[in-house]
């Protein structure tokens, strides 16, 4: 019997999922097993075989881009245009529904959506109106609490205060909702919450929506939060033709209130759902799957899975150690070129993944320099980011006091109480008098014929004085300090919090500034002038898009790469404190497990070629740091890795000291435990002669000698065991008794005589 065309080439489990009876269906499966493909075909199946009209189907995806792709796939499968088919993200879908129905909730027809800036400003005004101290009640923090409450469908009157601060949040929350209503506005959280409330409140509208949508399908179900879960439940009742697909191991939005336990809840809330497990992976080589499995197996509370593929073993995973982030970017570039030349892989088939947006900077610069095309999958390019543009504008103005564009950007950023009208009057005066900006600023205070009030002139003068101090500081070797002064004296740190809606956004912006600071420190090290520094940056700020076609390497964070696949993937920045990120480490086990899932999501994007890299040195805020390698690397099966003998030896040493797998409590070198590792009787120099000779070739460091296997003390980290020394002899890997495995400068170590 020949197969139905929609089932061509599918395995029996996939077929079972697509052809399951109308009713609740839960597809649970690992990455690359065809969850999204099955969901897409299920839509086509419902239309073709169950004759569900396409405009009575609703599908939810994670990004608008994914929604677009899904629509075109279904249209291709059925060879027809399906305009009324509702596919979108939760937010876009709800906004669309509310556009029509918000008046039921008391909004006027022309309601607007408030973005982060608007919400933040409103909360700030409310805090002030209520006479609360803004320092004790930072609007951003309150906003976070309010968003979290909305995700949990907690209304102001239901908000349970567990602390004094919470009590104030409750008060602000109530006032905020009233003000939003008066302004006829909804914030992002309201889009989901209001839709759920509408469905709960209005029997009539609920019935309309339930009648309209005969079938509801949700991709990436593990990342839904409470309000999203409720929306699905409300919309899919009473017939419950609901089809959800997910993978608990890929839950990466816990910080936005997502709860992978919704997968379990689903089984309880929908009686006897058809549960389909897909087992075969069609995306990756077996080596990639084995590495992914080794990484995720450390997490607790999960169903163990064996990922297998018929794609064959494939090539080993490349592991690369770079001296710093620039060398890391150079490594990626070199490999990208090779992939293109020797394996004919298109640029668009290559993804470079990093943990924080700030890390894109080194890659963007390298790609621009090499004139290779790239595109960022999320966010803006480093130099397009608001905070970077602001700081660059300060530096430009310091360098060139007549730069009006930069002046206009920063004169009231952060706010100095200089209004638009005053600025316009100033600009008109400068133009009418035909003055250079610097002359105008100098003349302003003493010239009675200019249009500004004395108070505003005073504010200008303060700014001019600051500029003068900074100009004096702008000497080679002092650019890092100059940056610190600008941030401090303008209170740019507070401004940063103000313009960020969520804690993670503020952190992200702060991290971008750290990255920028690191660049200035580097410029200081090499004796650059401010002019040299700015000149170099101009190259990167003006080379916005090299060409228009789509064959570009994808640069992305882990969060934005979800659901996609690429023949070649680079996972970069595999250092302790970066992945897992230090904030997650501070959160403890749950935080680290989420980071582990991020790594897992990254690895499983790769089809054939996977490259892992770490940089021994990165420059975050406050100077250079040498991080240990990511704890996740120690769990990778050695026989699947390929890299320089030294890198592999380093990893082997790390592994030898580490107990295998399991975060707690069996990871002695990665946990800060007051436990002494006894010095081994013999040196643990590598057995491989090639590596040994590399170790032997070191220049003798100062006496007494640091040796592999001997003990040493570090000024900051205390005693530890030397487990590796880099060829130059400057950098030493030490397993510290009180600390994790780290690379440190040899000069900071004092060898202990045994
Ligand atoms: P993720 O968890 O990463 O979102 P997924 O489970 O959604 O992954 P898909 O993206 O749907 O997986 O599929 C992965 C790849 O496998 C796609 O390229 C898809 O076309 C292919 N694929 C799925 N099923 C089959 C099959 N039966 N035969 C051949 N290729 C398949
Ligand atoms: Mg998918």
């Amino acid at each position: 019997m020949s197969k139905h065309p929609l089932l061509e080439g599918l395995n029996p489990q996939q077929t079972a999922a697509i052809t399951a009876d109308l009713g609740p269906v839960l597809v649970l499966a690992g990455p690359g097993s065809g969850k999204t493909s099955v969901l897409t075909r299920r839509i086509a199946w419902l239309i073709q075989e169950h004759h569900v009209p396409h405009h009575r189907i609703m599908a939810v995806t994670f990004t608008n881009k994914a929604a677009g792709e899904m629509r075109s796939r279904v249209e291709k499968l059925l060879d027809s245009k399906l305009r009324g088919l509702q596919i979108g993200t939760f937010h876009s879908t709800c906004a669309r529904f509310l556009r029509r129905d918000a008046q039921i909730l008391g909004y006027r027809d022309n309601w607007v959506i408030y973005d982060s800036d608007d919400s933040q400003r409103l909360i700030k005004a409310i805090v002030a109106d209520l006479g609360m101290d803004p320092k004790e009640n930072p609007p951003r923090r309150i906003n976070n609490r309010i968003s979290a409450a909305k995700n949990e469908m907690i209304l102001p009157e239901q908000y349970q205060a567990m602390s004094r601060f919470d009590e104030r949040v409750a008060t602000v929350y109530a006032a905020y909702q009233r003000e939003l209503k008066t302004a006829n506005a909804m914030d992002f959280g309201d889009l989901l919450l209001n839709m759920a409330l509408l469905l709960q409140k209005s029997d009539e509208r609920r019935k309309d929506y339930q009648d309209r949508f005969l079938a509801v399908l949700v991709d990436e179900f593990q990342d839904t939060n409470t309000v999203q879960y409720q929306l699905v439940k409300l919309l899919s009742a009473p017939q419950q033709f609901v089809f959800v697909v997910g993978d608990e191991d890929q839950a990466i939005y816990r910080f936005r209130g997502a709860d992978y336990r919704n997968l379990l809840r689903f089984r309880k809330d929908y009686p006897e759902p058809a549960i389909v497990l897909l087992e075969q992976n069609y995306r990756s080589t077996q080596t990639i799957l084995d590495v992914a499995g080794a990484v995720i197996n450390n997490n607790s509370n999960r169903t163990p899975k064996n990922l297998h593929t018929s794609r064959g073993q494939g090539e080993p995973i490349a592991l690369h150690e770079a001296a710093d982030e620039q060398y890391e970017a150079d490594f990626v570039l070199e490999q990208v070129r090779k992939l293109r030349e020797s394996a004919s892989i298109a640029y668009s088939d290559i993804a470079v993944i990093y943990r924080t947006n700030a890390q894109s900077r080194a890659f963007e610069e390298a790609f621009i320099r090499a004139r290779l095309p790239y595109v960022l999958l999320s966010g803006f390019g480093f130099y397009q980011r608001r905070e970077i543009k602001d700081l660059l504008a300060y530096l430009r103005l310091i360098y060139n006091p007549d730069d009006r564009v930069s002046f206009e950007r920063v004169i009231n950023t952060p706010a100095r109480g200089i209004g638009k009208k005053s600025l316009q009057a100033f600009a008109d005066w400068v133009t009418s008098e035909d003055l250079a900006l610097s002359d105008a600023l100098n003349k302003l205070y003493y010239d009675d014929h200019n249009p500004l009030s004395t108070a505003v002139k005073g504010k200008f003068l303060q700014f001019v004085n600051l500029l003068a101090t900074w100009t004096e500081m702008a000497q080679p070797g002092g650019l890092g300090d100059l940056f610190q002064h600008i941030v401090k004296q303008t209170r740019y740190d507070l401004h940063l919090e103000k313009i960020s809606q969520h804690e993670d956004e503020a952190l992200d912006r702060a991290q971008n500034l750290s990255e920028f600071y690191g660049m200035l420190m580097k410029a200081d090290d090499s004796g650059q002038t401010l002019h040299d520094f700015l000149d170099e940056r101009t190259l990167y700020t003006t080379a916005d898009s090299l060409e228009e076609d789509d064959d570009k390497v994808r640069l992305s964070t882990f969060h934005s790469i979800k659901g996609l696949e690429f023949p070649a993937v680079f996972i970069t920045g595999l250092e302790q404190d970066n992945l897992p990120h230090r904030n997650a480490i501070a959160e403890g086990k749950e935080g680290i497990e989420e980071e582990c899932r991020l790594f897992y999501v990254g690895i499983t994007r790769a089809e054939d070629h996977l490259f892992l890299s770490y940089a021994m040195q990165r420059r975050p805020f406050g100077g250079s740091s040498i991080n240990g390698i990511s704890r996740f690397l120690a769990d990778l099966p050695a026989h699947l890795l390929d890299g320089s003998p030294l890198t592999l030896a380093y990893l082997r040493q790390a592994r030898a000291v580490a107990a295998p797998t399991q975060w707690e409590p069996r990871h002695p070198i990665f946990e800060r435990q007051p436990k002494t590792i006894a010095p081994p009787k013999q040196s643990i120099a590598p057995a491989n002669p090639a590596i040994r000779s590399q170790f032997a070739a070191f220049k003798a460091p100062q006496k007494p000698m640091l040796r592999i296997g001997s003990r040493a003390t570090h000024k900051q980290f205390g005693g530890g065991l030397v487990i590796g020394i880099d060829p130059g002899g400057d950098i030493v890997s030490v397993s510290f008794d009180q600390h994790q495995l780290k690379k440190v400068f040899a000069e900071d170590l004092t060898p202990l005589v045994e």
Side-chain angles (χ1 to χ4, degrees), residues 18-40:
I18 293 167
T19 59
D21 290 342
L22 288 174
V25 183
L26 172 62
V27 179
L28 284 176
S33 55
K35 294 184 297 300
T36 306
S37 319
V38 159
L39 190 143
T40 309

Side-chain angles (χ1 to χ4, degrees), residues 32 34-37 219-220 245 283 563-564 605:
K35 294 184 297 300
T36 306
S37 319
D219 197 6
E220 308 271 3
V245 310
R283 179 181 292 151
L564 306 179
R605 299 309 96 202

Side-chain angles (χ1 to χ4, degrees), residues 3-55:
K3 267 202 166 175
H4 190 289
L6 283 176
L7 307 174
E8 208 80 64
L10 301 186
N11 68 37
Q13 290 86 5
Q14 292 178 323
T15 304
I18 293 167
T19 59
D21 290 342
L22 288 174
V25 183
L26 172 62
V27 179
L28 284 176
S33 55
K35 294 184 297 300
T36 306
S37 319
V38 159
L39 190 143
T40 309
R41 278 172 195 259
R42 171 76 171 183
I43 298 175
W45 183 262
L46 290 174
I47 297 171
Q48 202 168 68
E49 291 300 306
H50 291 276
H51 308 292
V52 178
H54 67 268
H55 57 268

Side-chain angles (χ1 to χ4, degrees), residues 235-248:
L235 285 166
S236 61
Q239 64 274 19
Q240 302 191 328
F241 296 167
V242 53
F243 187 99
V244 306
V245 310
D247 175 8
E248 56 179 356

